Amino acid sequence: MEIFGDWAEQRNDLGTKSTIAFLEIYEFAFKNLNGRVVSRIPEMDVAHLPTGRVLERAFTTYFYLLTSNLEYDRANAALSSIKLPFDAHFLYRLAVSLKRKPVRVEVNTTDRVILKERIIRQLRDALESSGWTQAFSDTIVASIDDFSNVALHDVTEALKGLGAANLKTSSARALSSLLTSLLSKVLQHHGAIAAIETLSLSRSWMEPAHIADFELRIAATHSDEQALIDRSAGPQAHKAYALLSTLAWDRNDFREALEYARRIPTGHFSLGKSLQYTDTIDRLSFLAETSDWLAKVDQPERPNGVVLLASLNCYNTLAMVTPALIEMKRRGFAVGSLMSGVLNQRPPENMHPELGSLFNCIHRNREDGQVSLAWEVDWSERRVMCGGINYYQGIYERLSTIYRRATIFIEEEPIASTFMSLLKRCDYVLRACQKVEAAAENSEAPIILLGSNSHVAPYSVIRDFCLGKSLPNLRYVTCNVAYENYYSNLGGKYSRSMAVVDMTLHRECRAPFLAIKSRFDRWYTEFGRSDAVRERFDNLLSANRSGKAIGSDDEIGRTIQTAREEGRKVVCCFGKILCDLSVPYDGGPAHLDMIDWINHSINIAAKHPNDILLLIKPHPHELRPEIALELTEQLRDVCPPNLPENVVFLGHRDFNIGDLAPMLDTAVLWNGTSSLELTGLGVPVVMAAHFGRHDYPLDLIYPSSRTDYETLLTEPLPAPNEDLRWRAMALLHYMGTKDVAIPNEYSLRPITNDRVGIPSWAEEKMSAYVANGDPYMTLAVDRMLEGVHTSTNSSDH
């Protein structure tokens, strides 16, 4: 991207088509950098382009790139450089573009707000100079932000006032475009009847093409397919077929949706629309093929229970669990999806009506714009309560992953707006959960909600609801990729396994790739002390996870050696990525959270300058965008700017654990797999988080209070004994065995945050599986049914 940008910046002879092509290709690539940061959008001169729509198209793209890369000074300068007057609709488009989420992570919107206010002032000037009424100007500006609170009466009064306005003919196209945008807002927030009334007031000011386009949208809202078909032969063909495809998608008829989508004439599409079209075709093809594979086995006539996919629109999870859903059908369970537009699976005809009503009960929009339930929000006390259940942690983690930081204040923009949008989605999902609860109470049949991404809202709402209700026939089972990234040291882009856990049964297991103690204990008795365990441990410890730079640790090594010669205890705190905790609740017996823990550790070191040398090692994944994306807060950012002399903050690449371990007297972790590596190497390990104890079934060292934690950091600790070291090495091995990382190579799907396209099926492997079965899918389904006591349940593994 940097090279591509440099090339364009050095060219002064790019013509109109080449300039637009460059900007649109660059925009597409920019959106897919996935946490990798472009230092600077290339300088582009678009002022020389022909006036009118060509210039507007190029400038809109360029403006979006600048603001999306948070280069607001340059965006302001670019806006000032265009001397030609832009019409009101173009200024409206620029203002609306500033409502879009930027590609870069933005934690302070001041510059964005100032720029938007400048454009709105210009928009009002353009409206006034064209003779448009004040009421209409106010309505248009209101529609840029939150139109949900705009009264329909105000809209109609503003439109009636247009009838008496002395409008300049040069503004006709702009007015028509603005009215089309306004009608879209009315349709979205006030419904089709209000939109039809508003259209009747606007017709005389709108161009025929805009009227025809909007009539198509109203027909789609009414599911009037015949009206759309009638229009598919005219100039609105591409829009008619797109809407027909959407309607078919909504009712889970993916083949018909695909057929309509393929009829869309694409010859005039821009690059962006072409890519969007290709993505839609890929999605519908995948969904159609998925439902075809599931249809190989019929729904049982008298089901033993129901399995409903609760991963909403996560295609990666759908690709992962579909083979298991086929096995579920063979076990006598009806399968479907809570959300529409995912699976073409209907409930059996004789199923309990309340159970059947759960199929597709969540629209694929995943919200209706309402907050209907009674929520109690006390962010400072970590409470977002509804119905006696606290949904705080999943909501916090979603905001934390969006803004790539641990410090989250919902009173400040842009987080405040994001929180409200997320709460609407959580409210909608929670209402669906209440339907599930009613069905579970009125039917004895087991209901299994099969989810994923359960640590972030709105997915976490389903997990927290099921765990909070504790109904015996309501299970929440989560599936995810296994711990492949660790064993491959991020050596691949695709997942080849899955991990499964019933979280309503194993309530302290936060993620399915972690070991269940009873299973590990059985495995350890038979395989724990083996050459294979020792060999794998040695191989894993030899991996260069930090990307260590040769010679970078010389000075630090001398500092450590001096401390040891002086009799000081050498302690190292091993950090985690701040926004990637994935826990149902945070904290530890001595600390509120990771920030409290690391700062308490620094304070202890400051009190004992002659007793300890404290090293702080940030997680190397802070520098891996395919995992961490673009962090706006790293471990160093939450520590004091001036550290005590006996505290050394290591660089990300200073040491691998195997190099550092021999120099340490104690290792301290909030949580993490490094605890197993360090214990296996003979270093005493203190685990500070609650889930540091839950995640790894070993007898490590756990603080009981802040005072106790200070003692653990300052006093000598016993080295792990031989059995503990073997258990640590064995557990590290065990999480990579097929008992946890269940082989699943039936689809091509991603394992990191880097996009690799829509999942696709391995046709030959799926055909063989449908014909012959697979013991690993049998194991996966056994795990899904572990908490279900029916005659179809297999033996415990």
Side-chain angles (χ1 to χ4, degrees):
M1 287 290 290
E2 297 281 4
I3 293 170
F4 190 36
D6 290 343
W7 170 84
E9 204 167 53
Q10 294 165 11
R11 298 291 298 267
N12 297 317
D13 57 346
L14 287 178
T16 300
K17 289 184 178 180
S18 294
T19 299
I20 291 176
F22 168 81
L23 288 169
E24 293 184 350
I25 293 170
Y26 196 94
E27 179 189 24
F28 168 74
F30 182 72
K31 289 178 180 178
N32 287 277
L33 285 175
N34 219 36
R36 298 162 180 86
V37 177
V38 168
S39 59
R40 180 177 175 276
I41 299 298
E43 191 74 42
M44 296 294 294
D45 178 18
V46 299
H48 72 281
L49 298 178
T51 58
R53 298 192 182 189
V54 171
L55 177 57
E56 291 183 7
R57 176 178 170 185
F59 187 85
T60 302
T61 306
Y62 185 49
F63 185 82
Y64 168 75
L65 286 167
L66 290 172
T67 56
S68 208
N69 205 41
L70 312 185
E71 297 185 63
Y72 294 112
D73 288 344
R74 293 183 63 204
N76 262 303
L79 193 60
S80 299
S81 70
I82 304 296
K83 303 302 181 183
L84 299 172
F86 286 129
D87 66 35
H89 183 251
F90 173 69
L91 291 165
Y92 179 85
R93 287 175 60 196
L94 291 183
V96 169
S97 77
L98 288 169
K99 290 289 293 180
R100 295 169 63 187
K101 179 183 174 183
V103 172
R104 293 280 305 278
V105 181
E106 186 175 42
V107 294
N108 186 330
T109 59
T110 301
D111 291 339
R112 177 173 287 262
V113 170
I114 292 172
L115 178 57
K116 190 176 77 170
E117 287 175 349
R118 173 192 173 182
I119 293 172
I120 288 176
R121 285 196 301 271
Q122 291 179 264
L123 171 61
R124 285 189 180 277
D125 290 343
L127 291 170
E128 182 180 349
S129 65
S130 298
W132 296 347
T133 64
Q134 181 66 45
F136 182 73
S137 177
D138 291 343
T139 303
I140 289 297
V141 171
S143 72
I144 294 171
D145 289 316
D146 186 4
F147 193 77
S148 58
N149 295 321
V150 176
L152 184 62
H153 173 267
D154 294 338
V155 178
T156 55
E157 288 302 308
L159 291 175
K160 288 175 182 177
L162 282 179
N166 182 23
L167 303 181
K168 296 180 181 179
T169 56
S170 61
S171 62
R173 185 179 69 87
L175 175 59
S176 182
S177 297
L178 280 172
L179 287 170
T180 302
S181 299
L182 184 61
L183 285 168
S184 298
K185 296 279 189 177
V186 172
L187 180 62
Q188 177 185 353
H189 294 284
H190 297 291
I193 294 176
I196 293 170
E197 179 186 350
T198 310
L199 177 61
S200 68
L201 295 171
S202 309
R203 278 182 178 274
S204 60
W205 301 104
M206 292 177 65
E207 295 180 349
H210 286 153
I211 295 173
D213 288 347
F214 195 73
E215 286 176 340
L216 282 178
R217 294 191 58 188
I218 292 176
T221 303
H222 285 301
S223 298
D224 187 350
E225 294 189 33
Q226 187 57 52
L228 296 175
I229 292 171
D230 292 342
R231 297 288 187 90
S232 64
Q236 285 84 31
H238 65 289
K239 294 183 180 180
Y241 282 128
L243 290 169
L244 284 165
S245 179
T246 298
L247 290 176
W249 195 338
D250 286 341
R251 62 174 182 268
N252 302 325
D253 193 338
F254 307 119
R255 289 291 174 193
E256 184 172 324
L258 186 60
E259 177 61 27
Y260 280 131
R262 284 176 171 158
R263 293 184 192 177
I264 296 174
T266 59
H268 64 289
F269 277 9
S270 65
L271 174 69
K273 284 189 177 180
S274 295
L275 292 166
Q276 185 178 13
Y277 171 78
T278 301
D279 182 74
T280 298
I281 295 295
D282 290 345
R283 289 175 185 272
L284 288 171
S285 297
F286 169 71
L287 293 173
E289 291 166 8
T290 301
S291 290
D292 288 347
W293 285 117
L294 273 175
K296 301 288 185 184
V297 178
D298 293 334
Q299 294 274 43
E301 291 184 7
R302 298 186 178 277
N304 297 315
V306 61
V307 180
L308 292 168
L309 199 60
S311 55
L312 304 182
N313 65 330
C314 181
Y315 286 25
N316 300 332
T317 303
L318 178 60
M320 182 192 308
V321 303
T322 293
L325 293 178
I326 293 173
E327 174 67 14
M328 276 289 192
K329 281 185 167 184
R330 289 179 170 141
R331 302 271 188 106
F333 283 78
V335 305
S337 171
L338 279 179
M339 194 178 90
S340 66
V342 176
L343 285 177
N344 189 1
Q345 293 289 294
R346 293 185 175 86
E349 291 184 4
N350 59 353
M351 175 175 277
H352 190 288
E354 277 193 286
L355 286 178
S357 70
L358 300 180
F359 285 63
N360 309 306
C361 66
I362 296 176
H363 191 273
R364 66 189 185 98
N365 287 339
R366 294 173 294 160
E367 66 168 277
D368 58 6
Q370 305 298 317
V371 176
S372 302
L373 303 174
W375 292 84
E376 174 199 343
V377 180
D378 188 339
W379 196 257
S380 62
E381 294 298 322
R382 306 190 177 201
R383 286 202 305 270
V384 183
M385 306 281 294
C386 190
I389 298 174
N390 190 2
Y391 297 95
Y392 166 84
Q393 189 63 31
I395 293 173
Y396 163 81
E397 292 218 15
R398 171 59 85 186
L399 295 173
S400 177
T401 54
I402 289 172
Y403 293 101
R404 313 310 297 165
R405 60 194 296 107
T407 309
I408 298 293
F409 299 107
I410 62 168
E411 299 84 7
E412 300 175 0
E413 291 293 354
I415 298 175
S417 298
T418 307
F419 171 75
M420 284 308 303
S421 296
L422 183 58
L423 192 64
K424 291 176 182 178
R425 188 158 290 183
C426 291
D427 187 272
Y428 182 66
V429 169
L430 184 53
R431 279 178 265 151
C433 289
Q434 292 174 343
K435 294 180 183 177
V436 174
E437 178 187 20
E441 289 176 337
N442 294 324
S443 171
E444 295 181 356
I447 302 172
I448 301 171
L449 301 184
L450 194 58
S452 186
N453 307 309
S454 56
H455 61 293
V456 292
Y459 311 96
S460 61
V461 169
I462 304 172
R463 174 202 66 187
D464 294 342
F465 182 86
C466 293
L467 269 62
K469 292 299 179 179
S470 296
L471 297 173
N473 63 331
L474 177 58
R475 320 302 307 175
Y476 182 78
V477 176
T478 185
C479 303
N480 216 322
V481 296
Y483 207 20
E484 294 176 66
N485 274 335
Y486 174 79
Y487 294 102
S488 69
N489 194 22
L490 298 181
K493 298 287 187 186
Y494 298 95
S495 173
R496 295 175 174 81
S497 69
M498 67 184 295
V500 183
V501 69
D502 181 341
M503 296 188 80
T504 41
L505 180 65
H506 302 287
R507 300 177 73 86
E508 300 296 353
C509 183
R510 66 177 178 87
F513 64 79
L514 295 165
I516 303 299
K517 185 178 186 304
S518 58
R519 294 179 194 148
F520 171 65
D521 287 343
R522 288 197 297 269
W523 180 89
Y524 181 74
T525 300
E526 187 172 356
F527 304 110
R529 297 199 180 197
S530 66
D531 291 340
V533 166
R534 168 64 76 176
E535 181 179 354
R536 190 174 206 179
F537 181 80
D538 291 341
N539 288 337
L540 290 171
L541 265 292
S542 66
N544 184 7
R545 299 186 188 278
S546 68
K548 176 183 173 183
I550 302 299
S552 66
D553 56 347
D554 291 349
E555 183 179 348
I556 300 170
R558 287 193 294 270
T559 300
I560 295 171
Q561 183 60 36
T562 299
R564 296 179 70 88
E565 291 171 355
E566 294 172 350
R568 288 190 287 168
K569 182 179 180 182
V570 180
V571 180
C572 184
C573 289
F574 289 80
K576 287 178 64 67
I577 295 175
L578 294 176
C579 61
D580 192 22
L581 299 181
S582 302
V583 293
Y585 54 90
D586 199 8
H591 302 100
L592 186 64
D593 53 27
M594 194 174 1
I595 297 176
D596 181 27
W597 162 70
I598 198 67
N599 282 284
H600 185 213
S601 303
I602 293 169
N603 291 337
I604 293 170
K607 288 170 56 180
H608 299 272
N610 299 320
D611 300 319
I612 63 174
L613 171 68
L614 179 64
L615 309 175
I616 302 176
K617 180 173 171 48
H619 201 291
H621 283 176
E622 284 189 341
L623 300 182
R624 299 295 294 262
E626 67 268 45
I627 298 297
L629 299 177
E630 181 190 357
L631 295 178
T632 60
E633 193 173 60
Q634 297 186 358
L635 189 64
R636 185 65 185 89
D637 298 321
V638 301
C639 299
N642 299 313
L643 297 173
E645 290 187 2
N646 63 324
V647 177
V648 178
F649 203 98
L650 301 176
H652 292 86
R653 296 187 172 94
D654 280 341
F655 289 97
N656 283 300
I657 284 180
D659 303 319
L660 188 57
M663 307 178 192
L664 302 180
D665 295 302
T666 299
V668 189
L669 290 87
W670 184 245
N671 192 7
T673 310
S674 297
S675 62
L676 306 183
E677 299 174 337
L678 290 156
T679 302
L681 291 169
V683 181
V685 172
V686 177
M687 290 284 256
H690 291 305
F691 277 88
R693 182 190 292 268
H694 299 322
D695 288 354
Y696 306 103
L698 303 176
D699 291 325
L700 301 176
I701 302 168
Y702 310 101
S704 58
S705 65
R706 294 180 83 86
T707 302
D708 182 44
Y709 180 73
E710 183 169 348
T711 301
L712 294 176
L713 258 63
T714 55
E715 299 296 326
L717 298 178
N721 60 35
E722 183 183 13
D723 182 63
L724 182 56
R725 292 183 65 176
W726 269 108
R727 284 183 67 87
M729 291 188 287
L731 182 54
L732 201 60
H733 177 93
Y734 174 71
M735 289 194 299
T737 66
K738 295 173 182 177
D739 197 45
V740 179
I742 301 171
N744 182 340
E745 298 187 32
Y746 294 108
S747 61
L748 206 60
R749 59 190 191 279
I751 194 173
T752 70
N753 286 321
D754 277 342
R755 298 179 180 89
V756 294
I758 304 301
S760 58
W761 291 107
E763 300 283 341
E764 291 185 8
K765 291 181 179 179
M766 280 295 287
S767 294
Y769 166 63
V770 171
N772 306 315
D774 177 356
Y776 291 117
M777 287 302 102
T778 300
L779 172 60
V781 172
D782 285 346
R783 295 278 166 81
M784 293 175 184
L785 295 175
E786 188 179 5
V788 177
H789 303 292
T790 71
S791 59
T792 61
N793 200 14
S794 298
S795 61
D796 179 36
H797 286 254

